[in-house]
Amino acid sequence: MEEELTEVILWHSRAYPHMKPADYVKLLYQNEFGCSHFLKDPGQSLDRLKEEFFSLPAPKGNTGRGPRMEPIGNELCRVFLEPGQQTEEFLPLLNRMQSATARTYEGNRMRFQKKLSLLRNMAAKGQLTVGGEEMDAFLSRYVSSGCEPIGHSPEYQKYYSPHYRVAKAAYYAYLPVFRAVMKLTASHNVNARRPVLLALDGRCGSGKSYLAGLLREMFGCNVFHIDDFYVPPERRDPDWMERPGGNIDRERLLKEVLLPLREGRKIRYCPYSCQKGTMLPPVEVEPKPLAVVEGSYSLHPDFRSFFDYRVFLTCLPNVQQRRIFLRSDGKRLHDFLERWIPAEERYLEEMKIGDLCDLILDTSGFEDFA
């Protein structure tokens, strides 16, 4: 943690040479607590976001670029408000990003105190734009006053005019998916009984389950995992490995999830646990405006007509192997290399899954998710 935070502080110190003690402390406060002190009511926070955006000076020149971000460490980033139509259209999604971050991200006072000590030491060593005595005096006052949220210094305001929101960096990485979902849900008939259905298919280790979790945080959607519908070993056909999706109980997924979703009915099913090798107790799910089905074989021919939008996730082989190694402590990598990855690749190739999808996203350059 300390090494990463040191690099973050040094980066900001170089990028913003007019930083004062308050700006360093604000950076660390956001690094630890995110935006948990902001309004968590999406309606109120969107009103404030629009008010701030429309107070910005008129755009100069081309404003066609997308939203700009910069990392602040601890898997968080600042997403900047900049004049222009693209940012204006982005505001509702940015508001969701901030609200979801505020709901799901909590800091720790003791960790924050340790981060302030690191800041004090860096200033004493002459690594920052402010000296050790100035930083020490400021931190003494700040700590004695209770370490409350803090604003930028007048100097920072003057030179950089900061207008941004803090959000999980992962939300920013998956912006193409979130944009598509926002558009789909906005255009969906609110009187329709059935939800918008989104499929996440692709290579193992590419982040399907991880993205599904982010979508749940952002949109409060239902998520259904293909892994919950594996056929128990004793019921598998002799040639199941040769048939794409032969390890999935497709009939049960159709009957218990996809058909009820399309009809807007309550879903009731028993997940299969691969770890325990048994069926788990039944789960009941009320329909929500958005439902996500994630996992390899989500776009098998038996299922694909149910979906309003299809996302294909992929990654490079070396990245795939590293992620599989990390999430299983190396215990299942050989099994994946010898059995599951070849079977999955046959399915992807034979059924041209990538060609069927509305969006293809390569996550090779993203942070690893174990």
Side-chain angles (χ1 to χ4, degrees), residues 136-185:
D136 190 64
F138 184 89
L139 289 178
S140 296
R141 295 192 300 270
Y142 178 71
V143 171
S144 64
S145 68
C147 296
E148 295 301 315
I150 189 172
H152 279 296
S153 67
E155 290 84 359
Y156 198 96
Q157 296 278 0
K158 173 185 174 182
Y159 285 101
Y160 309 119
S161 187
H163 297 278
Y164 59 78
R165 291 296 186 270
V166 172
K168 287 185 178 180
Y171 295 159
Y172 187 88
Y174 288 96
L175 274 183
V177 180
F178 296 144
R179 287 184 189 275
V181 171
M182 287 285 285
K183 185 176 181 180
L184 281 166
T185 53

Side-chain angles (χ1 to χ4, degrees), residues 27 61 63 112 136 140 143 153 168 173 222 240 253 271 281 315 325 336:
L27 174 65
T63 59
F112 182 51
D136 190 64
S140 296
V143 171
S153 67
K168 287 185 178 180
N222 291 323
W240 69 273
L253 179 61
C315 61
F325 182 90
F336 270 86

